[in-house]
Amino acid sequence: FQKHGQSGLEVSELFPRTATCIDDICVIRSMVTDDPNHPGGCLLMNTGERVFSRPSIGAWVTYGLGTENQNLPGFVAIGPGPIIEGARQYGASFLPAAYQGTFVSNLAQPLRNLSSLQVPRERQRRELDALARLNALHREPREDDDRLSARIESFELAFRMQTEAPEAFDFSGETSATGQMYGLDQPTTELFGRQCLLARRLVERGVRFVQLYHTTGGFQPWDQHSGLKAGHENNALATDQPIAGLLQDLKARGLLDETLVIWGGEFGRTPTAEGKDGRDHHPFGFSMWLAGGGVRGGMAYGATDEFGWDAIENRVHVHDLHATILHLLGLDHERLTYHHAGRDFRLTDVHGIVVKDILT
């Protein structure tokens, strides 16, 4: 670790490109969570609940704020590999189904079956109108089931997306300098670089929430129970340039101030060895970072003990992180509720404190 930027924050040698952006980054060094296992940990980080079905944070944000672009999904999740718990990480659960994330797994063909080259738009419009009338009749005795309404809206959204989505997912208009910024010219960084560049293109077109999963190299590639050095080196090499490219590009375009960037996993790794060269799961004290969107850059918040085992200073639970994220997006986590099964639910359940010390 070496100190970087005017702030002098320490950054690992594995992330030299990200280190150049450290003055825009707030590192939380005192994260804690409740579940040391991947399924529960991923669900808690993404939905605020580690066992039962709950809406994802992206669904809550889209429910609370809506979307700025009616021709694109309000919430897009992007991951080219397998994801633990699958759609539960970006799903809507009991929120109206229209708020769930649209998942993109193939960067070469992000949205399948979008084009209908054989059918003119006028004919498509008439077909959709007829289908909507039939669906409305089918829905009348099923008013409590929102899934059919979401299906009807998905057809309408797909119809509108034919005009705007192809351009949003088309990188051909980007300059070679932009491609190099994201690492598209290097095989090790190209895939995650394309994810990050797509995120920027979606954000600037009004998509409210974009979630990226780094799944290059297989299932849970950062889960180094063995081969820690080689594994982390490979993963950092694949992501460092794209991360820095995204932050630099957002800042250059004047988007970083209004875009909150969050980086982290469902828990950390132990400061003690597992086997010869690995680390185990560790929920008691780990780091995440945030940038832009009203966060103070160039600062570290909280600390663990001298062994890196327990968060002992300014502990930040996942519920606190969620409360803070919603606050930065203009939402009160205690008031953003949805009535279901006889009570009002929220992302933070009955917990969560906004971490005001990291706000600008």
Side-chain angles (χ1 to χ4, degrees):
F1 286 81
Q2 293 184 343
K3 294 182 178 181
H4 292 269
Q6 294 183 349
S7 59
L9 288 186
E10 294 181 333
V11 183
S12 167
E13 62 185 350
L14 296 181
F15 292 95
R17 303 282 188 172
T18 305
T20 65
C21 305
I22 195 62
D23 286 336
D24 294 314
I25 290 174
C26 171
V27 183
I28 300 178
R29 293 176 172 167
S30 52
M31 285 296 307
V32 294
T33 186
D34 298 332
D35 201 310
N37 299 306
H38 291 298
C42 287
L43 287 178
L44 184 63
M45 186 61 71
N46 282 274
T47 73
E49 164 59 49
R50 57 179 174 157
V51 178
F52 301 107
S53 175
R54 294 289 186 269
S56 63
I57 183 172
W60 277 112
V61 169
T62 311
Y63 163 66
L65 296 178
T67 180
E68 293 183 317
N69 189 332
Q70 297 300 318
N71 298 327
L72 290 171
F75 173 21
V76 177
I78 307 169
I83 299 173
I84 280 184
E85 296 298 319
R88 293 181 71 189
Q89 287 204 47
Y90 53 87
S93 187
F94 51 71
L95 286 179
Y99 298 117
Q100 69 183 5
T102 296
F103 188 64
V104 173
S105 60
N106 184 349
L107 273 296
Q109 190 182 14
L111 296 175
R112 294 173 291 178
N113 307 316
L114 187 62
S115 299
S116 181
L117 301 178
Q118 306 301 319
V119 182
R121 284 184 63 81
E122 295 78 9
R123 180 178 171 182
Q124 280 186 297
R125 182 67 270 167
R126 292 195 299 271
E127 290 177 348
L128 284 174
D129 290 343
L131 185 62
R133 289 193 293 271
L134 292 172
N135 282 330
L137 292 173
H138 185 63
R139 183 178 54 187
E140 283 182 2
R142 304 169 177 84
E143 289 293 340
D144 293 335
D145 189 345
D146 71 306
R147 291 174 296 177
L148 185 57
S149 297
R151 176 62 62 87
I152 295 172
E153 174 54 30
S154 71
F155 286 129
E156 293 294 331
L157 176 59
F159 179 75
R160 298 192 302 270
M161 284 172 62
Q162 290 180 95
T163 60
E164 189 159 345
E167 188 276 335
F169 290 96
D170 182 6
F171 292 174
S172 62
E174 299 287 349
T175 66
S176 58
T178 298
Q180 292 173 5
M181 181 188 301
Y182 284 87
L184 303 191
D185 58 333
Q186 300 295 326
T188 54
T189 53
E190 180 185 9
L191 185 54
F192 195 68
R194 293 183 72 85
Q195 290 179 249
C196 289
L197 179 53
L198 179 55
R200 187 269 286 167
R201 292 179 63 84
L202 293 175
V203 165
E204 68 181 347
R205 285 163 175 78
V207 175
R208 183 69 70 181
F209 199 98
V210 182
Q211 186 157 9
L212 307 182
Y213 298 91
H214 178 242
T215 51
T216 310
F219 198 58
Q220 295 293 99
W222 291 86
D223 192 26
Q224 266 81 58
H225 291 278
S226 62
L228 177 77
K229 185 175 186 297
H232 273 21
E233 285 176 346
N234 291 335
N235 290 322
L237 185 62
T239 57
D240 180 40
Q241 176 73 52
I243 294 167
L246 175 61
L247 293 176
Q248 292 164 356
D249 200 12
L250 288 172
K251 190 172 185 179
R253 294 170 184 269
L255 292 170
L256 187 59
D257 288 343
E258 61 187 52
T259 305
L260 179 63
V261 183
I262 307 157
W263 173 265
E266 68 270 39
F267 39 61
R269 313 304 295 193
T270 55
T272 55
E274 178 184 11
K276 294 181 179 180
D277 57 356
R279 294 289 190 271
D280 205 351
H281 306 169
H282 193 70
F284 309 117
F286 60 101
S287 295
M288 295 181 66
W289 62 254
L290 297 82
V295 171
R296 290 174 57 190
M299 74 169 295
Y301 183 81
T304 54
D305 60 29
E306 59 182 320
F307 301 107
W309 189 270
D310 280 314
I312 59 173
E313 178 185 316
N314 295 325
R315 288 162 54 94
V316 179
H317 189 274
V318 173
H319 295 309
D320 303 325
L321 177 67
H322 287 165
T324 306
I325 291 171
L326 294 180
H327 176 82
L328 287 164
L329 299 179
L331 296 167
D332 184 337
H333 75 104
E334 294 184 349
R335 298 178 63 188
L336 181 65
T337 62
Y338 189 83
H339 194 76
H340 171 73
R343 76 174 180 94
D344 290 335
F345 282 84
R346 68 190 209 209
L347 173 63
T348 53
D349 195 30
V350 296
H351 312 285
I353 298 174
V354 175
V355 186
K356 295 183 179 179
D357 289 342
I358 70 171
L359 310 180
T360 54

